[in-house]
Amino acid sequence: AAALICPFGSDHLWFSLFGGFYIPHMILMLLSFALAIQFMQSFGKKLSIRLALLFLLALVSFINGLGSLKGLMAVYLPMLMAASLALAFSLHSGPAPVSVHSAEFRFLIGAVVSAASAAAGYLVNSVVLAARYDFMNQNGLTWNKLDLNAFLDSIAGFLSLFGFSHGNVMSLYSVLGAFSFIIVAAVLISLVFLIRNYQSLPFGTQLLLVTFLCSVILQASIFSFTENSLGYVLSYWWLTTIPMVFLLLQAAWQQFSFRLPAGRLLCAAAFMLCMVFVSIASTHTYFTSGSFRAVPEMKPAEEWLLENGYREGYALFWKANVLTEWSSGQLDVRVVSGDTL
């Protein structure tokens, strides 16, 4: 939780913390996975409790699916893939037939319900809401031939979420940003450790690990076969996967044996220090890069419009929402499509 509230990357800073756009998606997806685990562990409880968990799982997944396609790509389809693999592995390795009351089968039920609900939510988004309102969606994505460079670029985009500031190599902020390499190394080492010790992990941690790996493979594969006609930066798509990374880091540190008595505490402190350094570099980079999302002239423009009696108007996506937000709704600025106005 402490790591997630750090602005360790420019994309995470803007879309998650400063802008707040991805916080609902992250919360809903973590809640969906937690509800699926709770439903899996609900065997022996009252039928009303199990049905309530299943209903909450369907509702949360549907709401998340209303937002965009990224929830399906990042969590719901990977969770379904992980549940199917877990059930198949249990059928292959177990001496006795798998019961419908087994943990694997119950998690598969939860995964099916969540994926179907999220798909229904996105169907409402792309068919019903898109026909009535003007907003950015993923309906313009098109399939293309296999592009291995796009696959590698997508993985690089995922790793770039953990920092990597731009600028002079020897500047203070570039040096601070270089600590992102330690963060990425910690992530990769933790993943390798969990994979090598897979059999000794709790079943819930196994499911989380396989879900994350399926999410990476699925999203990178989709990026390899689609034409990015919408012009999205690939790291933008990976943001919803970030919470799972820190859950897996925590799981690895709990399983890892430290020789020094205070080794676990020192390791956590060093990791958080790296997060602070990278957060300083990312924040400086974002607010000095001239990004159109941090244009200081927008505030005087909002004040001038109010002082001169303007209340309604049109603007591009970011400027329209900024003017409406800064004026506390006094300005009703509608969004128009396009790159210029």
Side-chain angles (χ1 to χ4, degrees), residues 130-174:
R132 298 185 60 184
Y133 304 99
D134 184 14
F135 57 89
M136 298 176 67
N137 56 44
Q138 291 82 48
N139 291 348
L141 291 176
T142 56
W143 292 104
N144 196 10
K145 62 182 180 180
L146 173 63
D147 186 352
L148 292 179
N149 288 328
F151 182 89
L152 296 177
D153 287 344
S154 66
I155 298 298
F158 170 68
L159 295 178
S160 70
L161 289 174
F162 298 96
F164 303 104
S165 299
H166 303 286
N168 191 307
V169 174
M170 299 308 297
S171 69
L172 172 62
Y173 296 104
S174 292

Side-chain angles (χ1 to χ4, degrees), residues 43-249:
F43 179 71
K45 296 183 179 179
K46 294 180 179 179
L47 178 62
S48 58
I49 295 178
R50 285 179 282 167
L51 291 177
L53 287 171
L54 210 57
F55 173 76
L56 285 174
L57 175 60
L59 179 62
V60 170
S61 303
F62 178 80
I63 293 173
N64 199 12
L66 279 175
S68 73
L69 185 63
K70 289 184 286 293
L72 272 168
M73 291 171 54
V75 172
Y76 297 112
L77 289 179
M79 192 162 66
L80 181 58
M81 294 166 63
S84 302
L85 289 172
L87 182 61
F89 181 79
S90 179
L91 288 170
H92 177 73
S93 60
V98 177
S99 169
V100 293
H101 300 296
S102 65
E104 293 85 357
F105 194 82
R106 292 198 303 274
F107 186 74
L108 179 62
I109 293 175
V112 169
V113 169
S114 63
S117 301
Y122 182 67
L123 188 64
V124 172
N125 171 293
S126 60
V127 176
V128 179
L129 298 180
R132 298 185 60 184
Y133 304 99
D134 184 14
F135 57 89
M136 298 176 67
N137 56 44
Q138 291 82 48
N139 291 348
L141 291 176
T142 56
W143 292 104
N144 196 10
K145 62 182 180 180
L146 173 63
D147 186 352
L148 292 179
N149 288 328
F151 182 89
L152 296 177
D153 287 344
S154 66
I155 298 298
F158 170 68
L159 295 178
S160 70
L161 289 174
F162 298 96
F164 303 104
S165 299
H166 303 286
N168 191 307
V169 174
M170 299 308 297
S171 69
L172 172 62
Y173 296 104
S174 292
V175 172
L176 292 177
F179 282 88
S180 58
F181 290 100
I182 299 178
I183 296 174
V184 171
V187 171
L188 296 178
I189 291 171
S190 298
L191 289 174
V192 171
F193 174 79
L194 291 173
I195 292 171
R196 292 189 61 181
N197 295 273
Y198 179 81
Q199 295 293 343
S200 62
L201 298 177
F203 186 55
T205 304
Q206 290 179 349
L207 291 173
L208 177 63
L209 175 61
V210 177
T211 298
F212 172 76
L213 294 176
C214 288
S215 177
V216 171
I217 294 171
L218 177 64
Q219 292 189 81
S221 299
I222 290 175
F223 298 145
S224 303
F225 282 98
T226 53
E227 180 73 28
N228 187 13
S229 57
L230 302 180
Y232 287 126
V233 177
L234 288 175
S235 57
Y236 165 81
W237 289 85
W238 287 105
L239 281 164
T240 47
T241 315
I242 287 294
M244 287 192 286
V245 173
F246 292 103
L247 290 176
L248 290 171
L249 277 170

Side-chain angles (χ1 to χ4, degrees), residues 308-323:
N308 289 273
Y310 292 96
R311 292 297 181 268
E312 297 178 342
Y314 298 92
L316 297 178
F317 178 78
W318 295 111
K319 293 180 173 62
N321 289 318
V322 167
L323 289 171

